Amino acid sequence: MRSVVHTRQGDPAEVLELREEDGRPRPGAGEVLVRLRVRPVHPGDLIAVEGGLPGLPDQDSQPRTPGVEGMGVVEEAGADVRAPLVGRRVAAFPAPGTWAEYVVVPAERAVPVPDEVGDDTAALMLVNPLTLVMLHRAVEQALDGHDGPVVQTAAGSSVGRLVSAHAERHGLPLVNLVRGAAGARKVREMFPGQPVIVTSDADWQDQVRRATGGGGARAVLDCVGGSLTRDLVGLLGDGGTLISYGRLGSGVTMLDELPLVNRGLTVRGVTIWHWTDRTPEQRAEDLAFAVDLARTSPELLEVAARYDLADVKAAVKHARRPGKSGTVLLTSPAETGGAR
Ligand SMILES: NC(=O)c1ccc[n+]([C@@H]2O[C@H](COP(=O)([O-])OP(=O)(O)OC[C@H]3O[C@@H](n4cnc5c(N)ncnc54)[C@H](OP(=O)(O)O)[C@@H]3O)[C@@H](O)[C@H]2O)c1
């Protein structure tokens, strides 16, 4: 089987390599073997290859295969798997090691894909929509009954668009931040009713203050961090919350520099890795939301480009390209019958 591996952390375009080995893994009790067709390249996948982020484990010397989600067909089920999954198209998450031809996951992590959802959309069906669910809950808690307003960074990102669409649907006042004019054009086209502000404008913070009214933002959803954090906290109204869920930016902001105490501010993190802590009922509800989103709004799960697994180095470079729109996919050749 083919798999992408790295034996040390570093620049993904340098440390990732394709390996071909005989054989394939076997599912244990309660597990299924998925023959993968499509897997996304998420920013978090690249950060895990690079390492060095606080809270992430360093890699030991064992080869590691990146990837946390993907879609394919269940080829084999282990003992005790009661659901009729063999032969079905599924999306899998959390599924560590999806940048390979096969992955073995607990059967409950293999989510059947409706016929009307294509392979590429199915490959993007879980991580970002479930992140949206987690962010939605964090925003609800931060608003604590208030109407908003909410500010978000990297609004042109795949997750940012889900947030914008969700805000539009729920009437949540949202101010979108992007770092450049090209990104701003795209977000304005997609969400003409929402303000879009470019952080390279000298007066961008004043523009945000005007857009959020006198009281400032009740919550800022941020995946940029670094030195931008200080400015973002300045946009919060008293009692507001900075929700941090990514680290695309550079530089640092010291916690002690922030006026947390005097202004009663909250800083909190959100990670999809805590999604598995939700109750089985909550997870079933969240998965139903994700599947429904894939069925009804596939345009929100945009594909930037498709690369064969063997072209992983080109794929990871594309995934980091400024101005990219959507998510880069890693594909496997279609089996007989063809990928949808
Ligand atoms: N916490 C979680 O569980 C979780 C789950 C999923 C995603 N995330 C995070 O969510 C973020 C977005 O992920 P995604 O998959 O939606 O990303 P994506 O589709 O790859 O888009 C990346 C976006 O970030 C912008 N960007 C890149 N570097 C930036 C910088 N230094 N300053 C400002 N904007 C920058 C890009 O803008 P341009 O158009 O200008 O290039 C682009 O719009 C990432 O930080 C990711 O790690 C977190």
Side-chain angles (χ1 to χ4, degrees):
M1 87 163 187
R2 300 190 306 165
S3 54
V4 173
V5 296
H6 63 113
T7 52
R8 63 188 169 91
Q9 287 177 309
D11 179 350
E14 281 175 20
V15 301
L16 293 175
E17 56 180 283
L18 189 78
R19 286 203 180 160
E20 292 207 35
E21 286 162 330
D22 291 336
R24 56 182 199 181
R26 300 293 309 273
E31 295 177 333
V32 293
L33 174 71
V34 182
R35 185 185 178 113
L36 291 153
R37 288 181 179 173
V38 192
R39 353 55 197 135
V41 177
H42 288 302
D45 296 324
L46 302 180
I47 288 169
V49 174
E50 280 172 337
L53 202 68
L56 277 182
D58 287 334
Q59 186 182 6
D60 55 24
S61 58
Q62 294 302 312
R64 176 184 168 274
T65 296
V68 295
E69 82 171 321
M71 74 75 56
V73 175
V74 175
E75 233 174 61
E76 195 181 338
D80 302 333
V81 175
R82 280 194 287 275
L85 287 169
V86 175
R88 290 204 67 170
R89 287 193 318 139
V90 294
F93 171 79
T98 51
W99 292 12
E101 222 67 65
Y102 289 97
V103 72
V104 170
V105 288
E108 68 272 13
R109 295 188 188 174
V111 181
V113 177
D115 287 345
E116 64 269 36
V117 174
D119 283 359
D120 290 357
T121 302
L124 296 169
M125 191 172 82
L126 299 179
V127 166
N128 286 350
L130 294 178
T131 299
L132 172 66
V133 170
M134 304 284 287
L135 295 177
H136 171 78
R137 288 179 54 237
V139 167
E140 290 274 283
Q141 287 162 4
L143 293 183
D144 194 24
H146 292 80
D147 292 338
V150 175
V151 172
Q152 74 157 337
T153 58
S157 69
S158 306
V159 172
R161 287 172 193 185
L162 291 175
V163 169
S164 294
H166 197 69
E168 195 172 70
R169 198 162 297 162
H170 293 270
L172 174 74
L174 178 72
V175 177
N176 292 303
L177 303 184
V178 293
R179 64 175 166 177
R185 268 194 302 279
K186 181 102 192 181
V187 179
R188 282 188 189 114
E189 267 168 35
M190 290 183 79
F191 305 102
Q194 295 175 1
V196 182
I197 292 164
V198 182
T199 55
S200 55
D201 286 356
D203 66 339
W204 72 271
Q205 293 172 70
D206 290 335
Q207 291 183 45
V208 177
R209 285 193 191 97
R210 283 197 292 277
T212 53
R218 293 292 308 179
V220 173
L221 273 174
D222 175 48
C223 62
V224 174
S227 47
L228 192 69
T229 301
R230 191 182 310 112
D231 295 336
L232 295 174
V233 165
L235 301 172
L236 286 168
D238 285 359
T241 303
L242 176 76
I243 301 165
S244 168
Y245 72 100
R247 177 75 200 282
L248 291 167
S250 54
V252 287
T253 294
M254 303 295 287
L255 193 64
D256 285 344
E257 293 173 20
L258 303 176
L260 302 183
V261 176
N262 292 346
R263 300 193 45 224
L265 304 176
T266 302
V267 178
R268 68 168 291 188
V270 170
T271 173
I272 191 159
W273 292 107
H274 285 182
W275 178 75
T276 48
D277 298 341
R278 288 178 46 84
T279 65
E281 294 74 24
Q282 288 171 329
R283 276 185 276 139
E285 208 173 286
D286 296 345
L287 289 173
F289 169 83
V291 171
D292 192 55
L293 190 142
R295 239 178 11 83
T296 57
S297 310
E299 73 283 358
L300 290 174
L301 304 175
E302 185 186 346
V303 175
R306 308 170 93 246
Y307 290 84
D308 184 85
L309 208 51
D311 299 323
V312 63
K313 285 178 190 282
V316 296
K317 283 184 189 160
H318 192 153
R320 282 266 164 92
R321 199 180 290 165
K324 163 195 70 89
S325 183
T327 306
V328 171
L329 301 178
L330 288 166
T331 61
S332 296
E335 305 139 64
T336 313
R340 288 163 45 84

Short mmCIF file of all heavy atoms in Angstrom, two decimals, residues 291-325:
data_model
loop_
_atom_site.label_atom_id
_atom_site.label_comp_id
_atom_site.label_asym_id
_atom_site.label_seq_id
_atom_site.Cartn_x
_atom_site.Cartn_y
_atom_site.Cartn_z
N VAL A 291 -23.54 16.11 7.85
CA VAL A 291 -23.99 15.40 6.65
C VAL A 291 -25.00 16.25 5.90
O VAL A 291 -24.97 16.36 4.66
CB VAL A 291 -24.60 14.01 7.04
CG1 VAL A 291 -25.27 13.36 5.84
CG2 VAL A 291 -23.52 13.10 7.62
N ASP A 292 -25.89 16.91 6.64
CA ASP A 292 -26.90 17.75 6.00
C ASP A 292 -26.25 18.93 5.27
O ASP A 292 -26.65 19.29 4.16
CB ASP A 292 -27.89 18.25 7.07
CG ASP A 292 -29.11 18.87 6.43
OD1 ASP A 292 -29.74 18.16 5.61
OD2 ASP A 292 -29.40 20.05 6.71
N LEU A 293 -25.22 19.50 5.89
CA LEU A 293 -24.51 20.62 5.26
C LEU A 293 -23.87 20.15 3.94
O LEU A 293 -23.92 20.83 2.92
CB LEU A 293 -23.46 21.16 6.22
CG LEU A 293 -22.79 22.47 5.83
CD1 LEU A 293 -22.57 23.33 7.08
CD2 LEU A 293 -21.47 22.27 5.15
N ALA A 294 -23.26 18.96 3.97
CA ALA A 294 -22.63 18.42 2.75
C ALA A 294 -23.67 18.18 1.66
O ALA A 294 -23.41 18.38 0.47
CB ALA A 294 -21.89 17.13 3.07
N ARG A 295 -24.86 17.76 2.08
CA ARG A 295 -25.93 17.46 1.12
C ARG A 295 -26.52 18.73 0.51
O ARG A 295 -26.75 18.80 -0.69
CB ARG A 295 -27.04 16.70 1.87
CG ARG A 295 -27.36 15.32 1.33
CD ARG A 295 -28.43 14.58 2.12
NE ARG A 295 -29.18 15.32 3.10
CZ ARG A 295 -30.23 16.08 2.85
NH1 ARG A 295 -30.68 16.19 1.62
NH2 ARG A 295 -30.85 16.71 3.83
N THR A 296 -26.73 19.73 1.38
CA THR A 296 -27.49 20.89 0.93
C THR A 296 -26.62 22.07 0.49
O THR A 296 -27.06 22.91 -0.27
CB THR A 296 -28.43 21.40 2.06
OG1 THR A 296 -27.63 21.69 3.21
CG2 THR A 296 -29.46 20.35 2.43
N SER A 297 -25.38 22.15 0.99
CA SER A 297 -24.53 23.31 0.68
C SER A 297 -23.12 22.88 0.28
O SER A 297 -22.14 23.36 0.88
CB SER A 297 -24.46 24.27 1.88
OG SER A 297 -25.73 24.56 2.37
N PRO A 298 -22.98 22.00 -0.71
CA PRO A 298 -21.62 21.52 -1.06
C PRO A 298 -20.70 22.66 -1.51
O PRO A 298 -19.48 22.54 -1.39
CB PRO A 298 -21.88 20.52 -2.20
CG PRO A 298 -23.24 20.85 -2.72
CD PRO A 298 -24.01 21.43 -1.59
N GLU A 299 -21.30 23.78 -1.99
CA GLU A 299 -20.46 24.90 -2.44
C GLU A 299 -19.67 25.52 -1.29
O GLU A 299 -18.67 26.20 -1.51
CB GLU A 299 -21.32 25.97 -3.15
CG GLU A 299 -22.22 26.81 -2.25
CD GLU A 299 -23.49 26.09 -1.76
OE1 GLU A 299 -23.72 24.93 -2.16
OE2 GLU A 299 -24.23 26.69 -0.96
N LEU A 300 -20.11 25.26 -0.05
CA LEU A 300 -19.37 25.78 1.11
C LEU A 300 -18.16 24.91 1.44
O LEU A 300 -17.33 25.27 2.28
CB LEU A 300 -20.29 25.89 2.33
CG LEU A 300 -21.36 26.97 2.26
CD1 LEU A 300 -22.29 26.89 3.47
CD2 LEU A 300 -20.74 28.36 2.16
N LEU A 301 -18.06 23.74 0.82
CA LEU A 301 -16.91 22.85 1.04
C LEU A 301 -16.10 22.84 -0.26
O LEU A 301 -16.01 21.83 -0.95
CB LEU A 301 -17.40 21.45 1.44
CG LEU A 301 -18.34 21.42 2.67
CD1 LEU A 301 -18.86 20.01 2.92
CD2 LEU A 301 -17.62 21.93 3.92
N GLU A 302 -15.51 23.99 -0.55
CA GLU A 302 -14.86 24.18 -1.86
C GLU A 302 -13.52 23.44 -1.94
O GLU A 302 -12.76 23.37 -0.97
CB GLU A 302 -14.62 25.69 -2.07
CG GLU A 302 -14.05 26.01 -3.44
CD GLU A 302 -13.68 27.49 -3.61
OE1 GLU A 302 -14.08 28.32 -2.78
OE2 GLU A 302 -12.95 27.79 -4.57
N VAL A 303 -13.26 22.91 -3.14
CA VAL A 303 -11.99 22.22 -3.40
C VAL A 303 -11.07 23.20 -4.11
O VAL A 303 -11.42 23.78 -5.14
CB VAL A 303 -12.24 20.98 -4.28
CG1 VAL A 303 -10.91 20.33 -4.67
CG2 VAL A 303 -13.14 19.99 -3.55
N ALA A 304 -9.83 23.36 -3.58
CA ALA A 304 -8.86 24.26 -4.23
C ALA A 304 -8.18 23.54 -5.38
O ALA A 304 -7.94 24.13 -6.44
CB ALA A 304 -7.82 24.72 -3.21
N ALA A 305 -7.83 22.28 -5.20
CA ALA A 305 -7.13 21.50 -6.23
C ALA A 305 -7.06 20.06 -5.76
O ALA A 305 -7.23 19.77 -4.57
CB ALA A 305 -5.72 22.03 -6.43
N ARG A 306 -6.83 19.14 -6.75
CA ARG A 306 -6.70 17.71 -6.42
C ARG A 306 -5.33 17.25 -6.87
O ARG A 306 -4.90 17.56 -7.97
CB ARG A 306 -7.78 16.88 -7.14
CG ARG A 306 -9.18 17.39 -6.92
CD ARG A 306 -10.17 16.69 -7.84
NE ARG A 306 -10.77 15.54 -7.18
CZ ARG A 306 -10.59 14.28 -7.54
NH1 ARG A 306 -9.81 14.00 -8.57
NH2 ARG A 306 -11.17 13.31 -6.89
N TYR A 307 -4.64 16.52 -6.01
CA TYR A 307 -3.32 15.97 -6.33
C TYR A 307 -3.33 14.49 -5.98
O TYR A 307 -3.90 14.10 -4.95
CB TYR A 307 -2.21 16.63 -5.49
CG TYR A 307 -1.94 18.07 -5.85
CD1 TYR A 307 -2.70 19.10 -5.31
CD2 TYR A 307 -0.89 18.41 -6.71
CE1 TYR A 307 -2.44 20.42 -5.63
CE2 TYR A 307 -0.62 19.74 -7.03
CZ TYR A 307 -1.39 20.73 -6.49
OH TYR A 307 -1.14 22.05 -6.80
N ASP A 308 -2.67 13.68 -6.80
CA ASP A 308 -2.48 12.28 -6.43
C ASP A 308 -1.61 12.22 -5.17
O ASP A 308 -0.75 13.08 -4.96
CB ASP A 308 -1.80 11.52 -7.58
CG ASP A 308 -1.68 10.04 -7.26
OD1 ASP A 308 -2.65 9.31 -7.52
OD2 ASP A 308 -0.63 9.63 -6.72
N LEU A 309 -1.83 11.18 -4.37
CA LEU A 309 -1.04 10.98 -3.14
C LEU A 309 0.47 11.09 -3.42
O LEU A 309 1.23 11.61 -2.60
CB LEU A 309 -1.37 9.59 -2.60
CG LEU A 309 -1.26 9.29 -1.12
CD1 LEU A 309 -2.00 10.31 -0.27
CD2 LEU A 309 -1.79 7.89 -0.84
N ALA A 310 0.88 10.63 -4.60
CA ALA A 310 2.32 10.66 -4.94
C ALA A 310 2.84 12.08 -5.09
O ALA A 310 4.04 12.32 -4.98
CB ALA A 310 2.56 9.87 -6.22
N ASP A 311 1.93 13.03 -5.36
CA ASP A 311 2.35 14.42 -5.56
C ASP A 311 2.16 15.24 -4.29
O ASP A 311 1.81 16.43 -4.32
CB ASP A 311 1.54 15.04 -6.70
CG ASP A 311 1.77 14.30 -8.01
OD1 ASP A 311 2.93 13.88 -8.25
OD2 ASP A 311 0.80 14.15 -8.78
N VAL A 312 2.38 14.60 -3.15
CA VAL A 312 2.09 15.24 -1.87
C VAL A 312 2.90 16.52 -1.66
O VAL A 312 2.40 17.49 -1.07
CB VAL A 312 2.30 14.24 -0.70
CG1 VAL A 312 3.74 13.78 -0.59
CG2 VAL A 312 1.81 14.83 0.61
N LYS A 313 4.13 16.56 -2.17
CA LYS A 313 4.95 17.77 -1.95
C LYS A 313 4.32 18.98 -2.67
O LYS A 313 4.25 20.08 -2.11
CB LYS A 313 6.39 17.54 -2.42
CG LYS A 313 7.19 16.66 -1.45
CD LYS A 313 8.58 16.42 -1.97
CE LYS A 313 9.31 15.37 -1.16
NZ LYS A 313 9.83 15.86 0.11
N ALA A 314 3.87 18.76 -3.90
CA ALA A 314 3.19 19.85 -4.63
C ALA A 314 1.89 20.22 -3.91
O ALA A 314 1.53 21.40 -3.82
CB ALA A 314 2.91 19.41 -6.07
N ALA A 315 1.21 19.21 -3.39
CA ALA A 315 -0.07 19.47 -2.70
C ALA A 315 0.14 20.34 -1.47
O ALA A 315 -0.62 21.29 -1.23
CB ALA A 315 -0.72 18.15 -2.32
N VAL A 316 1.17 20.03 -0.67
CA VAL A 316 1.34 20.82 0.56
C VAL A 316 1.81 22.24 0.24
O VAL A 316 1.47 23.19 0.96
CB VAL A 316 2.29 20.13 1.59
CG1 VAL A 316 1.68 18.82 2.05
CG2 VAL A 316 3.69 19.92 1.05
N LYS A 317 2.57 22.40 -0.86
CA LYS A 317 2.95 23.77 -1.26
C LYS A 317 1.71 24.55 -1.67
O LYS A 317 1.54 25.71 -1.31
CB LYS A 317 3.95 23.72 -2.42
CG LYS A 317 5.36 23.36 -1.97
CD LYS A 317 6.31 23.42 -3.15
CE LYS A 317 7.66 22.84 -2.76
NZ LYS A 317 8.44 22.43 -3.92
N HIS A 318 0.83 23.90 -2.44
CA HIS A 318 -0.40 24.57 -2.86
C HIS A 318 -1.26 24.95 -1.65
O HIS A 318 -1.85 26.04 -1.60
CB HIS A 318 -1.19 23.66 -3.81
CG HIS A 318 -2.31 24.36 -4.51
ND1 HIS A 318 -2.78 23.97 -5.73
CD2 HIS A 318 -3.07 25.44 -4.15
CE1 HIS A 318 -3.76 24.78 -6.10
NE2 HIS A 318 -3.96 25.66 -5.16
N ALA A 319 -1.31 24.06 -0.67
CA ALA A 319 -2.16 24.31 0.50
C ALA A 319 -1.70 25.56 1.26
O ALA A 319 -2.50 26.19 1.96
CB ALA A 319 -2.14 23.10 1.43
N ARG A 320 -0.44 25.93 1.13
CA ARG A 320 0.10 27.10 1.85
C ARG A 320 0.13 28.35 0.97
O ARG A 320 0.58 29.41 1.41
CB ARG A 320 1.55 26.79 2.29
CG ARG A 320 1.62 25.90 3.51
CD ARG A 320 1.73 26.76 4.77
NE ARG A 320 1.45 26.06 5.99
CZ ARG A 320 2.36 25.47 6.75
NH1 ARG A 320 3.62 25.45 6.37
NH2 ARG A 320 2.01 24.89 7.87
N ARG A 321 -0.36 28.22 -0.28
CA ARG A 321 -0.24 29.34 -1.22
C ARG A 321 -1.18 30.49 -0.83
O ARG A 321 -2.39 30.26 -0.67
CB ARG A 321 -0.60 28.84 -2.62
CG ARG A 321 -0.10 29.71 -3.74
CD ARG A 321 -0.51 29.11 -5.08
NE ARG A 321 0.17 27.88 -5.43
CZ ARG A 321 -0.23 27.03 -6.39
NH1 ARG A 321 -1.32 27.28 -7.10
NH2 ARG A 321 0.47 25.96 -6.65
N PRO A 322 -0.66 31.73 -0.66
CA PRO A 322 -1.57 32.85 -0.35
C PRO A 322 -2.63 33.00 -1.44
O PRO A 322 -2.33 32.80 -2.62
CB PRO A 322 -0.63 34.07 -0.33
CG PRO A 322 0.72 33.52 -0.05
CD PRO A 322 0.75 32.16 -0.70
N GLY A 323 -3.84 33.32 -1.05
CA GLY A 323 -4.91 33.54 -2.02
C GLY A 323 -5.61 32.27 -2.47
O GLY A 323 -6.60 32.33 -3.19
N LYS A 324 -5.13 31.11 -2.01
CA LYS A 324 -5.80 29.85 -2.35
C LYS A 324 -7.24 29.91 -1.85
O LYS A 324 -7.51 30.46 -0.78
CB LYS A 324 -5.05 28.71 -1.65
CG LYS A 324 -5.82 27.41 -1.56
CD LYS A 324 -5.16 26.49 -0.56
CE LYS A 324 -5.30 26.95 0.86
NZ LYS A 324 -6.46 26.50 1.59
N SER A 325 -8.15 29.33 -2.62
CA SER A 325 -9.56 29.35 -2.21
C SER A 325 -10.06 27.92 -2.08
O SER A 325 -10.09 27.19 -3.05
CB SER A 325 -10.36 30.12 -3.27
OG SER A 325 -11.69 30.22 -2.90
#
